[in-house]
Amino acid sequence: MGAVASLDAYQRGHRWVGLPLAVVYKYFDDHGGYLAALITYYGFLSLFPLLLLLVTALGYLLHGDPSLQQQVVHSALGQFPIVGSQLGRNVHAVHGSLAAVVVGVCGALYGTMGVGQAVQNALNVVWAVPQNSRPNPIKSRLRSLAVLPLLGLGLLATTGLSALTTSIHAYASGSITGLLVRVGSILLSVLINVLLFLAAFRLLTARPVSVAQVRDGALAAAIGWQVLQLLGTYFVGHTLKDSSEYYGVFGVVLGLLAFIYLAANLVVFCAEANAVRAQKLWPRSLLTPFTDAVSLTPGDENAYRSYAAAQRRKGFQRIRSTFRRHRG
């Protein structure tokens, strides 16, 4: 136990170890994997109707320029590098069928509202917002719909930037100009995504959170999203280039689910980092998740108090947490 005690003392006294450890502990305390799985389900459910509407809308808006249509679609699908090419071959515009368009709109609204609900639930769990302080089912869905246009504009901005970069890179491939355009586009994409994550973290949390409280998590999420895309592109180009075509729809589904789940976990984990830092939920005792035979730190006690307070159902309900000191 002497080695464990030394490790515990070290991580408590060093922020660079203690803070990430506290984030990991809180992620598991909040069942972060299940929160991400719920986001993944609705994200997957909404994706195909949204792509259907995008392709159909481009068919009407850019009917005189098929090449530009394909360029915009491929740029949008580039947000999903592992399965983007397969998606592009399996999603086609709807022509002459009002019923199909209506079904697509309804499916997209249901899925995107579900994503909004799942993200709101995750952020409220992360920030330990009491049950009675969370918006009712109607208000929460209206909030999801209100944020949807903002996120849509952000996606259009990154898609347009990707399409523009692809066009410029085609004329300047292999030159310094092409490299600068590529680096500049990545930096602009990260900046746009930082603003999107800032907006989402603030607007979808049912308690006031400041820009300073969510700034670091938004930056980490934006960088992580860009890294995820780059790694996905590299993985496709070097590992799946000779085999991805053989898996068909099965491969598309599994690849898409895996990619969305990784992205959802990234969002949840960055939100946890915001909450741990802002609410001073660190340092944590090293053995807290494994045994009751442990002396709690102030960070432990703050975390457990917040978990209990989050279960409050009525404003006139009072919840108090007390701790009996462990005697080793």
Side-chain angles (χ1 to χ4, degrees):
M1 293 297 292
V4 173
S6 298
L7 286 174
D8 193 12
Y10 182 84
Q11 66 89 15
R12 292 189 193 191
H14 294 79
R15 179 188 177 98
W16 71 273
V17 180
L19 184 58
L21 181 69
V23 173
V24 171
Y25 280 8
K26 189 170 187 304
Y27 173 86
F28 286 105
D29 286 345
D30 291 335
H31 304 289
Y34 294 106
L35 298 177
L38 189 60
I39 297 172
T40 301
Y41 168 75
Y42 283 106
F44 179 80
L45 197 65
S46 66
L47 182 61
F48 285 98
L50 285 173
L51 288 176
L52 178 67
L53 291 178
L54 173 64
V55 174
T56 302
L58 289 175
Y60 286 107
L61 296 175
L62 302 175
H63 63 277
D65 195 341
S67 62
L68 183 57
Q69 292 180 36
Q70 291 299 316
Q71 190 173 3
V72 174
V73 170
H74 290 160
S75 298
L77 294 175
Q79 304 292 323
F80 306 94
I82 296 178
V83 293
S85 59
Q86 291 95 329
L87 286 175
R89 288 191 296 271
N90 288 281
V91 177
H92 305 284
V94 176
H95 298 289
S97 177
L98 179 61
V101 174
V102 171
V103 170
V105 170
C106 292
L109 285 176
Y110 176 78
T112 50
M113 276 199 301
V115 172
Q117 294 293 99
V119 174
Q120 285 187 67
N121 175 68
L123 293 177
N124 289 332
V125 170
V126 165
W127 286 94
V129 178
Q131 297 285 338
N132 67 292
S133 298
R134 301 181 188 185
N136 62 49
I138 296 176
K139 287 184 178 180
S140 63
R141 283 166 174 77
L142 291 176
R143 178 175 292 189
S144 297
L145 285 177
V147 175
L148 180 61
L150 177 64
L151 299 180
L153 287 175
L155 178 61
L156 288 176
T158 54
T159 299
L161 179 62
S162 177
L164 179 62
T165 302
T166 301
S167 299
I168 297 176
H169 188 69
Y171 291 102
S173 179
S175 66
I176 296 297
T177 302
L179 178 62
L180 292 176
V181 168
R182 178 63 174 164
V183 173
S185 70
I186 291 176
L187 293 177
L188 283 176
S189 295
V190 169
L191 177 60
I192 293 171
N193 288 326
V194 167
L195 296 177
L196 289 177
F197 283 117
L198 275 174
F201 285 155
R202 296 194 67 194
L203 296 176
L204 295 178
T205 304
R207 58 161 284 181
V209 290
S210 66
V211 172
Q213 288 177 320
V214 299
R215 176 190 58 215
D216 292 347
L219 177 60
I223 294 174
W225 171 252
Q226 196 66 42
V227 170
L228 194 60
Q229 289 183 304
L230 293 175
L231 289 178
T233 302
Y234 177 85
F235 185 67
V236 170
H238 293 79
T239 304
L240 298 182
K241 61 181 179 180
D242 296 323
S243 59
S244 61
E245 303 300 325
Y246 300 120
Y247 296 101
V249 175
F250 185 70
V252 171
V253 171
L254 288 183
L256 192 56
L257 284 173
F259 186 84
I260 297 175
Y261 185 66
L262 287 174
N265 270 289
L266 171 68
V267 172
V268 173
F269 203 83
C270 290
E272 296 282 16
N274 287 333
V276 168
R277 185 177 57 85
Q279 297 179 321
K280 295 181 173 58
L281 304 182
W282 72 282
R284 302 286 299 270
S285 175
L286 188 63
L287 296 180
T288 296
F290 309 104
T291 178
D292 284 348
V294 64
S295 296
L296 299 180
T297 68
D300 288 319
E301 294 184 359
N302 288 340
Y304 292 137
R305 286 193 187 97
S306 70
Y307 301 156
Q311 303 307 311
R312 190 180 69 212
R313 301 284 177 167
K314 297 296 181 183
F316 50 78
Q317 181 182 6
R318 294 293 178 264
I319 297 176
R320 184 177 64 178
S321 299
T322 58
F323 302 93
R324 180 174 57 83
R325 299 295 177 182
H326 169 70
R327 295 179 181 179

